[in-house]
Amino acid sequence: MIENSDKLKIGEKSFNSRLMLGTGKYRNIHDATNSIENSECEIVTVAIRRLPIDLKNDNINFLKYLDWKKLWLLPNTAGSQTAEEAIRMAFLGHELACQLGQEENFFVKLEVISDPKYLLPDPIGTLKAAEFLIKKGFTVLPYINADPMLALHLEDLGCKTVMPLGSPIGSGQGITNLTNIQIIIENSSVPVIVDAGIGTPSEATIAMELGADAVLLNTAVAQSNNPAQMAYAMNLAVKSGRLAYLSGRMEKKYYANPSSPLNQISKLE
């Protein structure tokens, strides 16, 4: 088992789970709530644009069915095409957190996506918005392309994580840029969270085996045939990958090496 001391720390907040789950694309409230429960995640991300300003007057919003004493809200600025839009969404996200009883929650998943076709993050807009929000006291988790230099610039600004995409969002292509993500992990002193593109538990495990600190996913669970079961599978995959990373893999060799060498057998005798 992973030791209790192996916690994910983002800013001043610590978490036991290294799986984060999104809340979009579910077929119904039942699938969404069951998936979140089965995933054992502690961070749930919500697109602010999709929500009403006042949750008390919304009778169908599934957020009221979640236990916010156990979960931590990660508002995201999805749909923002400019830095200014993202900044506005971040402040609305904090208002939502306050409505859920998390007045001290200034977390924001920063997304600035100006291209509606490929949905790739805008690096200039992301930098601009991140700098402003950090000065206002937000804990910024920026969603970025797997760009090692951009990751370093955002870390220097004061971002508490970097969140490189594994492949285009919602594509289910898996991790198509392993080399760049590995460079980001090796050079980062803040948690690296692989976000977007993961389609199967094995791909989540690969991300964790690389040394990623966490994985954030949504479509792979929400659009599966059995979301609650897939959420549980992703939970196990992330735990497995983390354990493997902490254990340290064997050295690769370019020739066969018997698992029961003769000299070892003779020593045992």
Side-chain angles (χ1 to χ4, degrees), residues 163-233:
M163 305 181 75
L165 55 83
S167 56
I169 191 167
S171 69
Q173 293 178 20
I175 302 176
T176 59
N177 40 29
L178 281 171
T179 301
N180 277 21
I181 289 179
Q182 195 155 22
I183 292 171
I184 291 172
I185 291 169
E186 289 175 358
N187 290 283
S188 180
S189 58
V190 297
V192 176
I193 302 168
V194 174
D195 180 12
I198 287 176
T200 64
S202 62
E203 292 160 0
T205 301
I206 288 171
M208 298 303 294
E209 287 177 348
L210 278 180
D213 295 275
V215 164
L216 192 155
L217 51 86
N218 182 187
T219 309
V221 170
Q223 294 294 291
S224 66
N225 292 333
N226 187 330
Q229 186 167 283
M230 182 62 80
Y232 182 60

